[in-house]
Every structure is written in C-alpha cells, then in structure tokens.
Amino acid sequence: MALVEVKVPDIGDFDEVAVIELLVKPGDTVTAEQSLITVESDKASMEIPSSAAGVVKELKVALGDKVREGSLVLLLEVADAAGAAAGPAAAAPASAQEFKTNQAAAPVLPSQSATNTVAPSVGPIEVRVPDIGDFKDVTVIEVMVKVGDAVRLEQSLMTVESDKASMEIPSSAAGVIKELKVKLGDKINRGDLLAILEGAAPVATAAAAPSAAASALAAAPVAAAAAVAPAAAVLAVPAHSPTLAPLGLPHASPSVRKFARELGVPLNEVKGSGLKGRITDHDVQAFTRSVMSGAAQTLAAQAQAKTAAVATTNDGAGLGLIPWPKVDFAKFGPVERKELSRIKKISGANLLRNAILIPAVTNHDDCDITDLEAFRVSTNKENEKSGVKVTMLAFLIKACVAALKKYPEFNSSLDGDALIYKQYYHIGFAADTPNGLMVPVIKDADKKGIMQISVEMGELAQKARDGKLSPAEMTGASFTISSLGGIGGRYFTPIINAPEVSILGVCRSTIQPVWDGNVFQPRLMLPLSLTWDHRVIDGAAAARFNVYLGQILGDFRRALL
Ligand code: CAO
C-alpha cells in the first residue's frame, strides 16, 4: 500500500474557490475519476475528481475552505503498483485536463465577448457561446431570460451542464432580448448562437448596469479596451461583478441537479442546508419525504391549485379557454364538499399536463389468453403451499418487456429533438389505493422471473396502499401498465406517464366466441388498450406492438424466438 496525495488540479484563472461539498469521508473506497469534493465560484460549480483508485485515508479540506491549484484535498491509500504508477506528480492527470476545460466555461470570456460587442451599440447583437474549452454538446438545463427581457452585460442568460460541472453563460452585451435561439435540453457548442439582442445605446447601457459596467471598465485589460471604439468599450469588457445577484438560480451541484431531475423534484422549491444555502442530496431527499407526508406543496400541486382556482373563480380565460362552469349545485339537491386527497392534487396536475401536452392516440386490441390463464391457474395450484400467487399482471409485464425489446421506441423518452432509448426495462404499474392512484415500479423486469415479479408486485402494491412507498420505488419507470382486470370493463384510454411515451391499459378478460375457420370456439380474450405519443410513435408501429404483445401472451414461446 502507498499513500498518494490528491491535489486540486489546474483550475485555470480561478484564484480561490470554496469547498461547498465533501462527497467522500475517511474509509470510503473511491474509483479513479470519482468526484471527491465540489467547489464553487460565483458562476460555476465543479466536482474535483480523484486521480486514482483507493481508500480515503485522511481528508485535508473542510467545508468552507478556500482551495486553489495544488491545494491538498486528501490522502489516498492505493495499492503499491497503482501508487507507484500514480505518484505525486500524477496526482491529477486526465482529470486535470478535464477540470481545466470545465472551468474554461467560467464567466471570463474575453475574445468572444469582444467580438460580439465591438459591433455598434444599436441594432441586433448576436450573443454566442463563448470559448468553453474542449467541451462539446453541453446541455442547456436552465434558461433564465425570455424574449423582451432587458439584460445587463454579464448577466447570466442560461445554465449549461456537463456531467461534472454546471456553468452560467453570461451575456456579452447589454440590451433587450429579441430572439432566443436555444431552449431547454438543447445541446450547444462554442460559437452557437444563443440570442439576438436589440442593443441599447451606450449611455443607457451604462445607466442600466452601473456597477457591473464600472467594475468591468476598471478591470478591462488595456488591449481589450484599446481594441474597441470608446463608446462601445463599456459593452466590450467581459469582466463580471462578483456582487451580481445569482438570479434566483438554486445552488446545487450537477450531481444533485441530476438526482433532483430523476425524482422530479423542483429544485427552486427546495431549501438548501449547505453552505450559502446550497442544496445537498439530503435536502432533495428530505423534500421528497415531506411531499410524500403532505408537509410540502409542489409546483405541480400549485398548478393543480391554480387549475382549481380557474375552475372556481371563472378564470378559465387566463388559460385562453372559456370560463369553467360555476354551478350552485345545492340549488338542485343536497351536496357535500370534500377536499381532494393530497395524492389526487399532485397526480391531477401531472395528468392534466400530460393529457394536454402529449398528442396521444390509443389502439385497442384483444388477445387470446386461454392457454396462459390455464397455465397460471395450474401453477398457482401447484405452488399453493408457497404462498406466492402468480398474477396475470406479472405475465403482462414480461410480455411487455419482450415487445419493448422488439420495438425500442416504446421504451424511450423525448429529449428536445432527440430520443433517449433506455437500455433498462423498469415497468411501472398503476395501483389503486385509498388515497388515489400510485405507480410503483418493478426495476429490471427483464432480469426477473414471473415468480419474483409477482412477489415484488404484491409487496409494492401493499406498500402503496399503506402509503409507505419510497421515492425510489416510484421513479425510473420506462413504461407503465394500468390494469383494471381485477375490476372489470372492456377498454379505456390511459394517460401517458410523462416522460414515458406509451402506456398499456388492460381490462377484464371474458370468454368470447372466436372463429377458428370452421366453428366459433369459446376463448378467453384479454382487452388491451395501448396509448402512445404520436410525436415518437406511428400508428403502424403501435398496431405492430399490440399484435406482437398479443402473440406473446397467446404463446410465450414466441418471446424466445
Ligand atoms: N381479467 C380477468 N381477471 C383478472 C384480470 C384480467 N385482466 N386481472 C386480474 N384478474 C383477477 C385476478 O386473477 C384476481 O382474481 P382471483 O382473486 O380469483 O385470483 C382478481 O382479478 C383480483 O386481481 P387484483 O387486481 O387484485 O390483482 P392484479 O395482480 O391483477 O392487480 C394491482 C394488482 C395492484 C394492479 C391492482 O390491485 C390494482 O390496483 N388495479 C387498479 C389499477 C388502476 O387503478 N388503474 C387505473 C389507472 S388510471 O386511473
């Protein structure tokens, strides 16, 4: 074993950055490139990766410490060979380069800004992505301005994110936003056009952003100042004012943002307990727990409340609709008013959004499950003593996995103009609970057998009814099944659970006469209703999916072909 010092790699022009998160502790085993700490300047947060794999022996920084290039982060115990290979000089090899490029997107962006702003200070000004080092295809995760907004020089316009850093892209000029050329989820690169500004007159600009402009002017490199016309100089200087407000952007590291997105947690509603109010993963978890217990109201619930307000205040015009009918029901007979349950309030807003925003179509079909049901019944008889009851829904889950594998676009999600094809098969199933609809998720259903799925489903459905599902048990589905088979009915049109792109509704199987070419045979027919997002899936593909699903349920051997 050897001790290796892990130091802060080259972080370019940053003099000192604050340690805002410790991601490991002594005794933790870390892999090479695993993030160790998060540091933050006023415009960017970055994770410092480990230069080698090993066990953390001693942390050399504490929360709030200021670090710079070469500061010792921690001592790592590594296997001898690795230690010798890493050596002190190699304490930050590949990651140093990566980090350097990360910080290169920090707000000091001279050449690009100068190019953009030497243009006359009236008329359209193009704001482009500045030099962001070696970064390619960073994702726009927040757009902080909209068309018509007046922006100051250096005001942050949007936040972009790589897997290790999030950065704000500042405006290279002052003016009014005439056109925004990017939207959430877009991938951008150096030189891409972000926005077109109507340039403000220099005097007005200076007046609009006095402190930023003044500090910028004071900090202007002589060459940069000399290169631009005097009247435009104020606009041309790319320095930023550290006193600028962070524009209400929630402080959180990229990994916490990702975690929050996965759970569907609105970060701007989470109270940060970290340094300077920074949001940690614990805060995200605590928020989720408080929503589950009813202590917090999410934006979705607020949206629902707004919708309810629209309904009760004749304010439908606010949505561009005719007002919601307001009726005094008591005029017609006795009534009782009861508040919606918390789950109904939350799911209602999501359902409303999904119903309105997704161009959804439903295909209905019937499939023959006579043999499958006979097999299920005999299996349950054989296994009576085990206490495990195999359900039709477990077979449906397995059959859907086979169909999703054959038609992968049904297992995808829209991401701007691209599709994310998931290579995992996490299947959500709607569960009816006393408090409303919940959707627990069977993870990795492709890797599980019918028995295991049946057991897990029983446990998850029970937890749902008891209100004990954890957030992790309700997230990550790539496809959902809603089964009303235990209740009845023939067909229905389920609403897609965004960001998924399809959902299967199943109703009660009934004996139907089916023509076999000679006579009608009594067969057990299962009604299937597949709702799909027409932006992603075509009608023909949906019909094929349903037919294939029916074939599998008719004879599971087909899944082996
Ligand atoms: N056709 C005929 N019978 C069916 C059937 C089908 N498609 N699906 C289930 N059944 C039978 C079962 O075999 C069982 O019968 P036995 O007790 O005789 O064995 C009975 O109906 C009850 O089944 P179940 O509903 O308890 O179990 P399940 O595995 O089918 O479903 C669960 C579990 C959690 C999905 C279900 O309890 C539930 O909550 N369903 C409602 C889902 C819902 O609300 N969807 C609408 C969402 S949109 O608002």
Side-chain angles (χ1 to χ4, degrees):
M1 290 298 225
L3 271 189
V4 167
E5 291 185 339
V6 179
K7 294 181 175 170
V8 174
D10 177 1
I11 51 173
D13 295 340
F14 281 123
D15 194 8
E16 282 191 327
V17 284
V19 177
I20 55 156
E21 254 175 319
L22 302 174
L23 304 169
V24 292
K25 57 183 184 326
D28 281 357
T29 301
V30 299
T31 54
E33 292 302 312
Q34 179 175 331
S35 298
L36 303 175
I37 58 173
T38 309
V39 295
E40 190 189 46
S41 74
D42 61 336
K43 293 267 180 177
S45 68
M46 311 148 217
E47 294 179 8
I48 304 271
S50 181
S51 48
V55 176
V56 177
K57 187 86 183 136
E58 204 185 330
L59 270 172
K60 292 292 190 184
V61 288
L63 276 184
D65 282 358
K66 294 275 194 294
V67 293
R68 60 180 66 195
E69 180 182 356
S71 299
L72 185 56
V73 176
L74 53 78
L75 295 178
L76 198 65
E77 203 164 51
V78 300
D80 275 334
S95 34
Q97 181 53 35
E98 181 180 22
F99 189 78
K100 192 171 179 179
T101 55
N102 282 353
Q103 64 76 35
V108 184
L109 315 159
S111 57
Q112 190 65 46
S113 296
T115 315
N116 286 337
T117 51
V118 286
S121 52
V122 288
I125 299 172
E126 290 187 346
V127 178
R128 289 182 179 274
V129 180
D131 180 2
I132 51 172
D134 291 343
F135 268 118
K136 297 250 166 2
D137 294 335
V138 287
T139 308
V140 176
I141 57 160
E142 257 158 326
V143 178
M144 299 148 170
V145 290
K146 56 184 185 323
V147 171
D149 281 359
V151 296
R152 300 182 303 272
L153 169 70
E154 288 297 311
Q155 177 173 332
S156 296
L157 301 179
M158 53 200 65
T159 308
V160 294
E161 185 182 85
S162 75
D163 59 337
K164 295 268 183 198
S166 62
M167 310 147 233
E168 294 171 25
I169 306 269
S171 179
S172 51
V176 173
I177 300 207
K178 206 169 155 229
E179 258 182 88
L180 270 174
K181 295 291 193 184
V182 290
K183 58 182 183 323
L184 276 186
D186 280 359
K187 304 267 191 233
I188 58 173
N189 290 290
R190 180 182 180 175
D192 285 353
L193 184 58
L194 296 177
I196 296 182
L197 303 188
E198 277 296 20
V203 176
T205 305
S211 66
S215 64
L217 196 55
V222 176
V228 294
V234 171
L235 292 178
V237 180
H240 72 89
S241 161
T243 56
L244 284 183
L247 297 150
L249 183 74
H251 279 292
S253 70
S255 53
V256 170
R257 284 175 189 283
K258 187 161 173 268
F259 180 51
R261 276 205 302 278
E262 280 167 4
L263 291 181
V265 167
L267 262 191
N268 55 346
E269 295 179 43
V270 179
K271 195 167 167 12
S273 64
L275 207 69
K276 289 196 280 171
R278 192 165 187 83
I279 300 165
T280 66
D281 54 352
H282 292 296
D283 297 328
V284 174
Q285 280 166 350
F287 180 86
T288 313
R289 273 197 297 274
S290 68
V291 169
M292 296 308 299
S293 66
Q297 198 190 25
T298 62
L299 271 186
Q302 288 164 17
Q304 171 72 14
K306 266 189 206 156
T307 311
V310 165
T312 53
T313 60
N314 270 356
D315 198 17
L319 297 176
L321 304 171
I322 58 167
W324 191 260
K326 193 169 180 187
V327 178
D328 177 10
F329 302 104
K331 274 202 313 205
F332 305 107
V335 293
E336 184 193 5
R337 184 186 161 84
K338 275 188 182 171
E339 280 299 306
L340 286 175
S341 73
R342 179 175 45 81
I343 290 174
K344 277 222 163 90
K345 282 182 193 164
I346 293 173
S347 62
N350 281 292
L351 290 166
L352 179 63
R353 178 201 59 203
N354 299 347
I356 290 173
L357 293 184
I358 301 175
V361 185
T362 305
N363 282 33
H364 303 288
D365 207 349
D366 291 320
C367 72
D368 188 335
I369 57 162
T370 315
D371 297 339
L372 183 59
E373 178 61 4
F375 175 69
R376 189 185 76 85
V377 170
S378 71
T379 307
N380 280 339
K381 255 196 199 125
E382 282 166 26
N383 290 319
E384 219 161 2
K385 285 200 187 106
S386 73
V388 178
K389 192 173 142 193
V390 171
T391 65
M392 184 51 70
L393 193 47
F395 285 105
L396 276 160
I397 287 175
K398 279 310 258 189
C400 283
V401 168
L404 293 171
K405 283 188 172 171
K406 191 168 168 75
Y407 301 103
E409 68 270 34
F410 288 79
N411 201 45
S412 73
S413 280
L414 263 176
D415 180 23
D417 288 338
L419 271 189
I420 308 289
Y421 286 91
K422 291 153 211 166
Q423 277 145 25
Y424 53 83
Y425 300 89
H426 301 338
I427 311 296
F429 65 96
D432 187 26
T433 81
N435 290 319
L437 175 68
M438 307 220 65
V439 186
V441 180
I442 304 274
K443 300 270 163 61
D444 296 315
D446 55 320
K447 299 188 180 107
K448 293 175 182 166
I450 296 283
M451 287 292 184
Q452 191 182 349
I453 291 177
S454 296
V455 171
E456 267 187 43
M457 237 174 50
E459 289 169 357
L460 287 170
Q462 192 54 49
K463 275 190 175 180
R465 289 185 196 112
D466 296 344
K468 289 191 176 148
L469 282 176
S470 71
E473 287 166 328
M474 290 187 288
T475 48
S478 54
F479 182 83
T480 295
I481 302 178
S482 175
S483 171
L484 294 173
I487 303 167
R490 291 304 301 274
Y491 304 100
F492 69 114
T493 53
I495 293 173
I496 293 170
N497 198 11
E500 293 157 43
V501 295
S502 57
I503 180 170
L504 181 72
V506 183
C507 281
R508 195 167 187 79
S509 55
T510 51
I511 299 283
Q512 300 287 325
V514 177
W515 186 249
D516 73 357
N518 294 311
V519 288
F520 280 105
Q521 297 280 1
R523 305 294 294 177
L524 186 63
M525 302 302 288
L526 181 72
L528 303 174
S529 303
L530 182 75
T531 301
W532 39 279
D533 185 335
H534 211 334
R535 293 171 298 178
V536 177
I537 291 158
D538 295 328
R544 282 190 198 103
F545 184 99
N546 253 356
V547 167
Y548 183 68
L549 186 62
Q551 286 172 342
I552 301 262
L553 290 165
D555 185 349
F556 253 83
R557 287 172 302 183
R558 281 180 180 274
L560 304 172
L561 294 177

